[in-house]
Amino acid sequence: MFAAYLAADVEGMSSVFKGALVALLPHAFFIQRMGFFHAKRRTRGAMHLFRAEAGKFGLTVALFVAVFVAAPPSNPALFFYAYVAVVLTHWLTPWLMPRDRTTN
């Protein structure tokens, strides 16, 4: 966000913030839907995975439409850079984690 502020001032930060939210909110929905933080609600079935992923995709599409219709970003390039950066961070995290980690 600091680089966006230096490059495009407050409008750039607004675009980065919107792009990050469009990426983070569907991920949070998926995590909540799958119950990763609650051992009692943790689902392991493939059908739950498909439903959570379909909801995540639908929420992503709805957020893109809402952002570009209701509050278009002032700098679309920064919006998409932030979106892609957040999505790639979630994809690359498993590769960056140590291999000798123990899980419960």
Side-chain angles (χ1 to χ4, degrees), residues 21-22 24-30 53-66:
L21 277 180
V22 168
L24 284 174
L25 290 177
H27 285 293
F29 171 81
F30 180 82
E53 189 61 38
K56 177 182 163 187
F57 179 73
L59 185 58
T60 302
V61 170
L63 287 173
F64 266 108
V65 168

Side-chain angles (χ1 to χ4, degrees), residues 12-61:
M13 284 184 54
S14 171
S15 296
V16 168
F17 185 69
K18 289 175 189 176
L21 277 180
V22 168
L24 284 174
L25 290 177
H27 285 293
F29 171 81
F30 180 82
I31 289 169
Q32 186 273 334
R33 187 81 170 149
M34 289 301 293
F36 286 137
F37 293 124
H38 302 289
K40 295 178 185 175
R41 291 185 38 215
R42 186 170 293 168
T43 58
R44 300 195 188 271
M47 200 60 181
H48 289 97
L49 174 69
F50 292 134
R51 286 183 185 156
E53 189 61 38
K56 177 182 163 187
F57 179 73
L59 185 58
T60 302
V61 170

Side-chain angles (χ1 to χ4, degrees), residues 19-20 22-24 27 56 64 79-97:
V22 168
L24 284 174
H27 285 293
K56 177 182 163 187
F64 266 108
F79 172 83
F80 284 111
Y81 287 149
Y83 176 80
V84 169
V86 171
V87 169
L88 287 181
T89 301
H90 288 289
W91 279 39
L92 295 176
T93 299
W95 291 336
L96 299 175
M97 293 173 65

